[in-house]
Amino acid sequence: MDFAVVGLGDSSYAKFNFVAKKLHRRLLQLGGTALLPVCLGDEQHELGPDAAVDPWLHDLWEKVLGLHPLPLGLSVIPPGVPLPSKFTMQFLPESPRSCSEEQRVARTDPPSPPSELQPFLAPMVTNQRVTGPSHFQDVRLIEFDIAGSGISFAAGDVVLIPPQNAASHVQQFCQVLGLDPEQCFTLQPREPDVPCPTRLPQPCSVRHLVSQYLDIVSVPRRSFFELLACLSPSELERDKLLELSSAAGQEELSQYCTRPRRTVLEVLCDFPCTAAAIPPDYLLDLIPPIRPRAFSIASSLLAHPSRLQILVAVVQYQTRLREPRRGLCSSWLASLHPGQGPVQVPLWIRSGGLTFPETADTPVIMVGPGTGVAPFRAAIQERVAQSQSGNFLFFGCRWRDQDFYWEAEWKELEKRGCLTLITAFSREQKQKVYVQHRLRELGPLVWELLDRWGAYFYLAGNAKYMPADVSEALTSIFQEEGGLSGPDAAAYLARLQRTLRFQTETWA
């Protein structure tokens, strides 16, 4: 069997493209013939996965067409010719009011546990900023009422929330494309085996499509420019789009779009003739759907019955573009004000990557700097309610008086003897101090808990540097306190990971 494997991954994660590498090796072991070396696309590359995938695909098609030439009468589809759209939109002639936004997929009284196909519309109870007014980042503690939802969760689980585009962006998009937001349509697949998107009601309004389905503030990929060029009636704009979608134009595309994080909507505004001519049938081919965002649940039902809390860092940063870049979901959630009237947010639960020991006498060491502390608050609440002792929390932030989340709660638990809290305030002294430094300082305690008492070790937070720094600190502790050699310390850490006594939940 001839085969070729391409993997799409992110090198900020420890097991970068693990599945692609393993599949490639296994197919070779089974006697397969690799047409090409495995391709490892990397999301962290400045040109994205295309940096590796583009030359690999060129070589692949040469190999495939050499082995299996096209039949007589068939030729490769030339550049600039778009494939048919996956769906057709049948606009309805009746009054727009007959197609109402009331046709929500989500329900407030689902007969079964909520899911992506049928989320629960949870009333938002509070939306409170928990960082100081002078702190650079807006972080929110948001609470939902889940009474009657059928939702249950345990520490380590996550809640998924599908965000919505801002009303101003929806209006601007419709203006640029010449769409009536109140117009209604039904969606029909061109091929019989292609299902319609389950998240779109039938019939659906343009407003619903744009506000709740199309990710118009995502950073467009190369394929977006390629299809847009095929649809452009303007020679000037088409030439530029073709340049940006070509292999030779990837550095320019990165400069124009990827590095400054220019959005789909902003690109369409830069190519007005093309945007105004886009056939509505191609909208779902051109623009990806909004993906639900996952948040660690920061509360326990044992401590807060019928409530679900999350800790949300509102994403906002500046690039060379005039407008600040904003996270879609965090900005949308932050904009909701339950004090000004009822607010409902669709959500559902998914099992998380962290599982905690059920035995009462097994200690747990939790390292959660910043918003990474969220799942550990749920775990501590759950363990305290079940009289489980041995809770050790390493928490890090910048300033004690600005971003020390749940300070009063931790101190009260300390007074009760339910928690041992170790803090690292990185900016309160000349030399920055992080959680990995506190781990090293308490090396004897960490080693005793892990080696003598069988403690579980948990790590949550940003994936950029912190996980590697913490792993390095642990390896150093194993050598200094346990007397292990370098290879033995690495093997000890690997054994903790293999037996789920070292678990991580990190994000890029």
Side-chain angles (χ1 to χ4, degrees), residues 34-83:
L35 295 176
L36 293 171
V38 60
C39 174
L40 303 178
D42 185 5
E43 190 67 38
Q44 292 299 313
H45 194 283
E46 64 177 357
L47 301 180
D50 283 346
V53 174
D54 193 63
W56 186 89
L57 277 178
H58 179 270
D59 294 343
L60 176 67
W61 286 120
E62 279 193 350
K63 287 270 189 180
V64 170
L65 291 174
L67 292 170
H68 307 283
L70 290 173
L72 290 175
L74 288 182
S75 60
V76 176
I77 299 173
V81 177
L83 295 173

Side-chain angles (χ1 to χ4, degrees), residues 23-320:
L23 177 61
H24 183 83
R25 287 195 302 267
R26 185 59 179 148
L27 290 173
L28 288 174
Q29 291 171 353
L30 293 172
T33 301
L35 295 176
L36 293 171
V38 60
C39 174
L40 303 178
D42 185 5
E43 190 67 38
Q44 292 299 313
H45 194 283
E46 64 177 357
L47 301 180
D50 283 346
V53 174
D54 193 63
W56 186 89
L57 277 178
H58 179 270
D59 294 343
L60 176 67
W61 286 120
E62 279 193 350
K63 287 270 189 180
V64 170
L65 291 174
L67 292 170
H68 307 283
L70 290 173
L72 290 175
L74 288 182
S75 60
V76 176
I77 299 173
V81 177
L83 295 173
S85 63
K86 288 183 183 177
F87 303 97
T88 60
M89 285 186 182
Q90 304 293 327
F91 286 96
L92 304 179
E94 56 257 40
S95 165
R97 293 189 178 277
S98 66
C99 176
S100 159
E101 293 304 314
E102 301 301 318
Q103 304 178 74
R104 288 177 176 257
V105 178
R107 295 165 57 172
T108 53
D109 55 345
S112 57
S115 64
E116 182 172 8
L117 296 182
Q118 193 168 318
F120 176 67
L121 283 175
M124 181 183 286
V125 180
T126 57
N127 187 347
Q128 174 191 2
R129 176 170 174 144
V130 291
T131 43
S134 62
H135 192 58
F136 78 101
Q137 187 162 44
D138 180 0
V139 177
R140 302 298 181 96
L141 176 61
I142 300 177
E143 182 174 67
F144 299 102
D145 181 357
I146 56 169
S149 65
I151 287 176
S152 65
F153 55 85
D157 288 348
V158 298
V159 60
L160 288 105
I161 297 175
Q164 297 179 18
N165 289 307
S168 59
H169 289 155
V170 173
Q171 181 180 4
Q172 186 181 14
F173 181 88
C174 291
Q175 286 176 345
V176 171
L177 271 72
L179 298 171
D180 176 3
E182 307 308 326
Q183 181 73 54
C184 294
F185 64 89
T186 57
L187 210 58
Q188 298 293 332
R190 290 189 185 273
E191 300 294 332
D193 58 341
V194 175
C196 288
T198 53
R199 286 166 46 197
L200 286 179
Q202 293 271 38
C204 180
S205 71
V206 171
R207 184 183 303 279
H208 184 99
L209 172 72
V210 180
S211 65
Q212 299 188 40
Y213 189 81
L214 298 179
D215 198 351
I216 60 174
V217 294
S218 61
V219 178
R221 303 276 186 165
R222 178 179 168 186
S223 57
F224 171 88
F225 292 90
E226 193 172 9
L227 178 54
L228 206 56
C230 294
L231 303 175
S232 177
S234 164
E235 183 178 355
L236 183 65
E237 292 186 4
R238 182 170 62 252
D239 288 346
K240 188 62 180 178
L241 290 165
L242 286 171
E243 183 181 343
L244 291 170
S245 63
S246 68
Q250 289 313 287
E251 177 58 33
E252 186 177 356
L253 177 61
S254 180
Q255 290 278 5
Y256 168 67
C257 197
T258 311
R259 288 174 190 157
R261 313 304 291 168
R262 198 182 301 270
T263 67
V264 165
L265 178 57
E266 289 169 329
V267 171
L268 292 174
C269 291
D270 284 349
F271 294 86
C273 295
T274 303
I278 295 173
D281 287 355
Y282 277 97
L283 286 177
L284 275 73
D285 298 270
L286 194 63
I287 304 172
I290 293 173
R291 293 180 300 175
R293 272 53 167 184
F295 296 93
S296 296
I297 298 174
S299 61
S300 169
L301 290 171
L302 298 179
H304 300 277
S306 301
R307 292 289 191 267
L308 186 154
Q309 297 178 355
I310 56 175
L311 192 65
V312 180
V314 182
V315 177
Q316 180 173 319
Y317 57 95
Q318 196 73 48
T319 66
R320 63 180 173 82

Side-chain angles (χ1 to χ4, degrees), residues 353-377:
L354 303 177
T355 56
F356 294 86
E358 297 179 0
T359 49
D361 59 348
T362 302
V364 293
I365 304 170
M366 297 161 281
V367 180
T371 56
V373 76
F376 302 140
R377 181 176 182 248

